[in-house]
Amino acid sequence: MSTMTREEIEQGLQENRFAPGGTARNAHAEVLAAAAEASGDSELFRDALDNLINSYLYSSESTKMLVPFARLLQEYDKDPGAFSKGDAHSLFWQFKWVATAISESPEIPLESATGWLDQMERRYRIAGYSERPVRESELWFADVIGDDERAERAYARWQAADRDDMSDCHACELNGQGHYAMLRGDDARALEVWQPVLAGDKTCAEEPHRVLATALLPLLRLGRFEEARAQHLRGYRMARGKESLLPSVGKHIEFCALTGNEPRGLEILAEHAAHVAPLANLDDRLSFHGGVLVLLRRLKDLGHGHLPAVPYEGVPRTVAELYEVLRADALDIARRFDARNGTTRVSERFLARIGGAPLVDVLPLGVRSAALPQPEPAAAPVAAPVPAPATDGAALAELVRRARAARDLGHPGSDGLWAEVAARVGTADAVDPLVRVDVADHRALAAARAGAGDAAALVTAVRDGYRALGREERAALSELRLASVAAQSGAAPGEIRELLAVALRAAEALEADEPLRGRRIALAELSAIRLESYLRSLEATDAHDHGHGHGHGQERAHGELAAELTAFVASHAQSLPDLVAEAEEMLGRIALSEGDPERAVPLLAAAAARAIAAGRPWQAVDPLVLRAGVLMSLGRPEEAEEAARSGLAHAGELTDAEQQAVVRLTLADILLERADAAEAAELALTAAHWFDQAGLTADGGAQARLLLARAYAHQHRNADAAEVLRSTLPDLLEHGEQQALAVREFLGDLLRELGEPREAAEQYLLAAELVKGWEDPRPQAGLAQSAADQLSEARLTPEAVAAYERALELHRLSGDAPVAEVRVLRSLAWLAIREEVSATGVARARALMAEAAGILETPQGDAPESPELRSELAQTWHQLAQVLDRWVSVHVQEDDDEDEESGPAEALGDAELTALRLEEVLLWDRAAGVYTDLGGDHLAERFQCLNNAAWTERELGRPEAGAARLSALIEELRTWPEGSVPEWILPRAERTVAHLTD
């Protein structure tokens, strides 16, 4: 085995400190610690032990830190003087982690655990630290061993003790305080304590990540569902993939299981499948697997135990199998804790957790999740089934009466009532033949709607059944349905017209005193008009395919259809308002197809009003939703919102999930355009849920989630927006190039705002690929530049340079983007000196800045000099001066540094430094002059230039010249109108003058 050199170990330690937490980092840290010990270098060994402890902490192996900590403590006891102040502080800080690890290690005897706490208390007291961290550690130890009185005392002493530099940060302390309140059953108090963390006022490396997860169930228990949803989206994003936060991931899985989001829970479990294996930290294992078990039990209860879950120890497992394995393992761990602690607390809490009942039927989260398959049918019982009780005749008769009334009214609940009748009829001994035909009618209608192949046969049988019972008014309706079925199945126009004629004759043949005769005739007429429009379009298409004119024939067909519908409205306006409402809606749609939205608006309004007046408000929803969209297109948002709200108000009795989704999405879109993002988000969220229920997740559901993400972004809930958008991204990318482009760019913008530059750059680059072949290079140029900005932010310098150069090439192809060109050149200039401020880099930066200035100094066509271009020119001079100042600073630092090898290879002489400083002053003066001409909007930039020039004058030995510049500015600004100068400028200028003249 080769021996590592000191330099190799030090380099390894440096790399390991910034590596992602996990077992790979831990293994590397273990190798480095062994190599450092073998080297015999005590200082290096202490550094390696410290690194190993920190590595274990941010992983699922945190309890392993006990051994290296004990070794480091031995080193301290041998020679405390070898530890610097910072090293000693780190050692005592780690004592708190060790105290937690002891509580989480059932293999450590109770006496030893108590001894570690006593030792921590003694060492803190001797070192002069507050007892605050000791009492917090004692609290959690007392809680886990079931000593509630000791826990209460420890909590009181924790809160009473002074804070010092050994105390946990405020965010971590608030986490503990709230968690203790929650364990005592006070959810409201817990959330009150956590509020500064949840709001982002108190944060640290692992907060609010942990609090966001722990707060989920208290929020649900208190009915604060919107907050719970938001904290889940935000919190899971923070915890995802972090090994040290697996307990938090488990809480997010549990949240999904208890809110009707089992598919989402399965997705989160799949993302962390590698960690379902036995974890070294038994407490983390119990916590993470506990959340998983809540989900698995819930899936079993719903009949999904046969579904594949995730592998365990390399073996594929179903939901039921994984549940049994994890449950047995977790209960064994809990019993080991209880055996060590002399109590049953751990087992009791664990069993209560995994037996938890759902806290809400369904809480839509907004993110896309695949639907669970239908549960497998229950196995046939071994014993003979108990006969179903006989159906009560009176109850069945009442149900049939309600079903017929709903059917005659066209009520959306009719299908549900008839389904219930069918179920009752199946268990009844004797049933009225008419009821059986009615049930068959319901089934035939469902088959017709679904386009079933046997629909015509089913409808024919129903017609014959009604006829046999003398119910000609129902038979006439079946004749009409046969025509509709034929049209749906693609029958020839002649056949469909013949069936329509048969239906009309059947209606006209009804007895004169039949109450439904007029309605049946009118319905046959309206159906013929509607289907005739379809038949003419088919015939027109055939004629067009044979080379005959198409456009003129279509216009004539529209005109004839409108005339027929208008005549129908005039004939039946007083007697059949619901059918007239249908006719007016059709007239409105014809007007829209002819490009006349103004004519459509009153027709759609009249259709809705007639439906409401006829006692059929659900029939008004479609025309109201359509009218709302038309009004938005006409620039009448107030009326559009009114129409959409009316549509939503009348949608209460609709049972069609797609209709419920569409009305909400329409109103949400209008409200977002009107800057009401909060209500828009709520509506888009429920619209997405309804689209999912309708099986339209990839279509309407994707559009609803896109709007939801936009609404969240308007509320600055960028993390929520990004999570929603990511979940539905694959669906949205299938909806055309334009939408794919917009969505990629939108997601890039969100990730940029969230401080995730690598991921943002990826989205911008993917968007740029979409427009690569476009004739107009400007979209690709803008996206390439955005990607370059983010690559630069991520410090991926070569990649950023390549992206900027591509953006520059594309901007130049467009020939009309001088500002964009200039900004790219300036960015390239700064990248030239990012890694090293060298003579070569400065020369390139200077050349790029000069190129940028040249673009701005070149007249742009015949247009007068643009204020924007003048401002960019001043900014270019300003930044060039800053580049030169960086170059000067490198050499000044070299002169101040005793190590001559730390500076640039070729130092500049005094004359060269003076020349550079003079050039800086000149550039800042020129920039300030331009900003002066541009007026008060650029006062801050002007002051910055003069301030920089003043300090550089002092470096040149001319502080009075610098002070004079700023004094002149001060005198000028005192003459400006009150309120026109930012409050900070004059005091800062006066302080600078005082420093310069001191």
Side-chain angles (χ1 to χ4, degrees):
M1 178 178 175
S2 60
T3 303
M4 296 176 69
T5 66
R6 178 185 178 89
E7 290 73 21
E8 289 172 335
I9 296 171
E10 288 178 337
Q11 178 64 29
L13 290 173
Q14 178 67 16
E15 293 172 355
N16 192 259
R17 288 186 185 99
F18 296 100
T23 52
R25 180 190 181 193
N26 295 349
H28 186 208
E30 289 165 356
V31 170
L32 293 169
E37 183 177 20
S39 74
D41 187 321
S42 298
E43 181 182 2
L44 188 62
F45 183 44
R46 291 194 299 270
D47 287 346
L49 287 173
D50 179 79
N51 176 70
L52 181 56
I53 294 166
N54 281 275
S55 297
Y56 282 145
L57 176 69
Y58 293 104
S59 74
S60 61
E61 299 179 316
S62 57
T63 51
K64 288 186 176 182
M65 74 173 68
L66 293 172
V67 173
F69 178 78
R71 293 291 306 275
L72 190 59
L73 198 59
Q74 288 175 0
E75 293 291 314
Y76 179 79
D77 289 339
K78 283 193 301 184
D79 185 8
F83 283 67
S84 68
K85 184 178 180 181
D87 291 339
H89 183 278
S90 176
L91 177 69
F92 280 87
W93 188 272
Q94 289 166 349
F95 230 126
K96 298 184 296 182
W97 304 343
V98 170
T100 301
I102 290 167
S103 295
E104 296 172 350
S105 305
E107 65 273 11
I108 296 180
L110 204 59
E111 297 76 14
S112 297
T114 302
W116 272 101
L117 279 174
D118 292 342
Q119 185 180 170
M120 178 184 180
E121 181 176 6
R122 178 178 59 82
R123 287 179 180 271
Y124 269 47
R125 185 173 59 251
I126 293 171
Y129 291 122
S130 167
E131 70 168 347
R132 192 176 180 92
V134 180
R135 299 286 77 89
E136 183 181 5
S137 297
E138 182 186 7
L139 161 67
W140 298 120
F141 183 68
D143 176 74
V144 79
I145 65 174
D147 191 342
D148 292 335
E149 290 184 7
R150 183 180 178 184
E152 285 287 350
R153 291 194 304 272
Y155 182 84
R157 293 177 67 183
W158 170 30
Q159 298 304 295
D162 293 334
R163 284 186 57 83
D164 62 8
D165 61 356
M166 196 53 62
S167 300
D168 282 344
C169 73
H170 286 288
C172 286
E173 283 208 341
L174 290 172
N175 178 355
Q177 293 165 21
H179 189 68
Y180 186 67
M182 184 187 74
L183 289 176
R184 295 296 174 268
D186 194 344
D187 287 339
R189 174 60 183 161
L191 291 168
E192 180 184 348
V193 170
W194 286 329
Q195 185 53 37
V197 184
L198 295 173
D201 298 330
K202 303 292 183 183
T203 62
C204 70
E206 290 198 330
E207 296 299 352
H209 315 47
R210 296 179 301 171
V211 167
L212 286 167
T214 309
L216 293 173
L217 296 193
L219 286 168
L220 289 175
R221 287 193 289 258
L222 293 175
R224 293 160 63 173
F225 300 134
E226 175 59 31
E227 292 174 73
R229 172 173 39 238
Q231 307 302 24
H232 165 67
L233 292 176
R234 178 178 163 218
Y236 178 62
R237 180 181 180 79
M238 292 179 169
R240 177 194 283 130
K242 293 182 174 62
E243 197 171 282
S244 63
L245 292 175
L246 284 174
S248 296
V249 172
K251 291 171 185 175
H252 285 285
I253 292 174
E254 179 182 10
F255 166 82
C256 293
L258 300 180
T259 57
N261 289 288
E262 295 83 7
R264 168 75 168 167
L266 273 177
E267 290 170 4
I268 296 175
L269 176 61
E271 289 178 358
H272 296 84
H275 296 112
V276 178
L279 304 175
N281 184 320
L282 296 183
D283 190 70
D284 281 4
R285 186 159 142 196
L286 203 61
S287 180
F288 175 50
H289 288 176
V292 175
L293 282 166
V294 176
L295 172 68
L296 298 175
R297 182 189 60 78
R298 180 70 184 142
L299 289 167
K300 283 175 69 224
D301 290 348
L302 293 173
H304 297 296
H306 66 291
L307 290 181
V310 296
Y312 184 78
E313 295 187 311
V315 180
R317 309 279 180 165
T318 65
V319 164
E321 290 168 346
L322 185 60
Y323 176 81
E324 295 302 329
V325 171
L326 294 186
R327 187 176 186 275
D329 178 70
L331 287 176
D332 177 65
I333 294 171
R335 282 190 287 266
R336 287 161 63 186
F337 271 108
D338 289 343
R340 193 274 304 265
N341 298 335
T343 177
T344 58
R345 169 154 291 180
V346 173
S347 293
E348 288 172 355
R349 282 181 175 171
F350 182 77
L351 288 170
R353 180 187 184 189
I354 65 173
L359 296 169
V360 59
D361 290 339
V362 179
L363 177 64
L365 300 178
V367 292
R368 185 205 200 284
S369 291
L372 292 172
Q374 290 297 315
E376 59 184 2
V382 176
V386 178
T391 301
D392 179 77
L396 177 59
E398 172 58 20
L399 180 61
V400 169
R401 185 196 65 75
R402 289 169 51 215
R404 285 172 176 163
R407 179 189 65 190
D408 294 343
L409 192 59
H411 194 284
S414 170
D415 288 343
L417 290 169
W418 281 116
E420 190 176 348
V421 170
R424 297 279 190 93
V425 166
T427 63
D429 294 330
V431 177
D432 182 350
L434 181 57
V435 173
R436 291 200 181 277
V437 179
D438 283 340
V439 169
D441 185 34
H442 167 252
R443 289 172 178 158
L445 180 58
R449 287 171 180 162
D454 61 347
L458 292 172
V459 173
T460 300
V462 168
R463 179 201 62 189
D464 295 344
Y466 279 131
R467 218 160 251 165
L469 295 172
R471 299 304 297 268
E472 291 296 335
E473 81 285 357
R474 298 295 306 169
L477 189 58
S478 296
E479 296 282 16
L480 194 54
R481 284 182 184 157
L482 284 171
S484 297
V485 169
Q488 191 173 358
S489 63
E495 180 185 346
I496 297 168
R497 288 191 178 102
E498 178 57 32
L499 289 170
L500 285 168
V502 169
L504 179 58
R505 287 197 296 271
E508 291 173 337
L510 294 173
E511 296 292 335
D513 58 354
E514 167 58 52
L516 291 175
R517 182 176 184 276
R519 182 175 186 83
R520 291 287 183 267
I521 294 172
L523 185 57
E525 291 173 350
L526 184 58
S527 298
I529 294 171
R530 182 186 292 114
L531 286 175
E532 187 61 32
S533 171
Y534 162 71
L535 299 176
R536 290 172 183 171
S537 68
L538 286 180
E539 292 168 336
T541 300
D542 289 341
H544 177 66
D545 291 341
H546 288 88
H548 302 298
H550 181 59
H552 181 65
Q554 192 174 47
E555 290 176 11
R556 185 174 65 252
H558 278 163
E560 292 172 356
L561 177 60
E564 291 167 357
L565 288 169
T566 301
F568 182 89
V569 169
S571 298
H572 303 287
Q574 301 303 316
S575 57
L576 298 168
D578 59 309
L579 296 183
V580 170
E582 289 185 39
E584 286 181 318
E585 182 179 346
M586 291 173 64
L587 283 167
R589 292 180 183 275
I590 291 170
L592 289 176
S593 69
E594 293 176 338
D596 192 351
E598 292 285 2
R599 180 160 57 93
V601 168
L603 288 166
L604 295 170
R610 285 190 197 275
I612 294 166
R616 303 184 181 212
W618 54 87
Q619 190 180 324
V621 174
D622 282 350
L624 284 168
V625 167
L626 182 57
R627 183 170 181 267
V630 174
L631 287 166
M632 279 300 289
S633 72
L634 293 172
R636 293 155 64 178
E638 295 87 356
E639 295 174 74
E641 180 181 340
E642 182 183 357
R645 286 195 184 280
S646 181
L648 183 60
H650 293 305
E653 295 178 85
L654 287 176
T655 58
D656 183 82
E658 184 178 2
Q659 283 185 293
Q660 291 284 5
V662 169
V663 67
R664 285 166 172 78
L665 185 58
T666 300
L667 180 54
D669 198 15
I670 293 168
L671 290 173
L672 189 58
E673 289 295 320
R674 304 200 68 195
D676 188 348
E679 189 179 358
E682 181 181 347
L683 287 161
L685 183 70
T686 53
H689 173 70
W690 280 111
F691 277 124
D692 291 346
Q693 296 299 304
L696 298 170
T697 298
D699 300 307
Q703 298 306 319
R705 289 183 171 89
L706 174 57
L707 196 146
L708 175 60
R710 289 172 52 212
Y712 281 156
H714 276 268
Q715 298 175 79
H716 306 292
R717 294 170 59 180
N718 294 326
D720 296 1
E723 280 298 289
V724 170
L725 198 57
R726 273 189 188 280
S727 74
T728 197
L729 186 62
D731 296 328
L732 292 169
L733 295 178
E734 297 298 318
H735 290 201
E737 187 177 72
Q738 287 287 352
Q739 177 155 288
L741 170 63
V743 168
R744 290 272 190 210
E745 187 172 10
F746 180 25
L747 182 54
D749 293 344
L750 291 171
L751 294 169
R752 182 193 66 216
E753 293 296 323
L754 289 167
E756 300 178 18
R758 285 174 179 259
E759 294 80 2
E762 179 186 9
Q763 294 303 322
Y764 290 135
L765 290 171
L766 289 169
E769 280 297 310
L770 290 170
V771 299
K772 199 170 183 179
W774 287 15
E775 184 176 343
D776 184 355
R778 287 174 294 184
Q780 189 184 357
L783 290 164
Q785 186 169 348
S786 295
D789 290 341
Q790 293 306 295
L791 290 167
S792 176
E793 185 71 20
R795 303 198 71 82
L796 298 171
T797 303
E799 294 86 347
V801 169
Y804 275 128
E805 288 176 345
R806 177 59 177 157
L808 185 62
E809 177 187 353
L810 291 164
H811 283 311
R812 285 175 171 167
L813 276 176
S814 72
D816 62 353
V819 171
E821 284 187 59
V822 164
R823 291 178 178 175
V824 169
L825 288 166
R826 291 200 304 247
S827 296
L828 285 169
W830 283 108
L831 289 176
I833 60 171
R834 166 178 277 180
E835 304 300 329
E836 180 186 10
V837 185
S838 64
T840 302
V842 171
R844 173 160 171 74
R846 183 191 281 272
L848 289 164
M849 291 288 189
E851 186 179 352
I855 291 171
L856 294 165
E857 290 170 327
T858 301
Q860 302 293 318
D862 299 328
E865 197 168 51
S866 162
E868 182 185 20
L869 296 182
R870 294 287 294 161
S871 172
E872 292 292 333
L873 179 59
Q875 185 62 220
T876 302
W877 289 333
H878 185 177
Q879 291 191 32
L880 175 55
Q882 290 175 310
V883 168
L884 300 179
D885 193 58
R886 287 278 299 278
W887 184 224
V888 168
S889 297
V890 167
H891 292 275
V892 171
Q893 182 180 2
E894 177 199 8
D895 292 341
D896 295 339
D897 198 327
E898 294 179 2
D899 182 3
E900 295 183 357
E901 295 182 1
S902 65
E906 297 181 7
L908 297 178
D910 290 342
E912 292 171 300
L913 290 174
T914 297
L916 284 169
R917 285 175 171 140
L918 288 170
E919 186 178 358
E920 289 176 40
V921 171
L922 175 63
L923 288 165
W924 274 316
D925 276 344
R926 290 170 67 186
V930 173
Y931 287 134
T932 301
D933 294 341
L934 290 172
D937 289 344
H938 293 271
L939 179 57
E941 294 95 331
R942 178 186 172 192
F943 168 76
Q944 190 63 55
C945 290
L946 293 173
N947 188 64
N948 291 348
W951 285 111
T952 307
E953 290 277 22
R954 191 179 80 158
E955 293 172 1
L956 286 165
R958 307 184 315 206
E960 68 284 348
R965 274 186 175 78
L966 289 176
S967 295
L969 177 64
I970 291 169
E971 292 304 313
E972 177 191 339
L973 295 183
R974 284 175 176 161
T975 68
W976 283 31
E978 185 177 353
S980 60
V981 179
E983 293 181 0
W984 60 270
I985 287 185
L986 281 172
R988 185 169 166 188
E990 289 165 351
R991 284 196 301 270
T992 303
V993 169
H995 283 303
L996 291 170
T997 56
D998 186 5

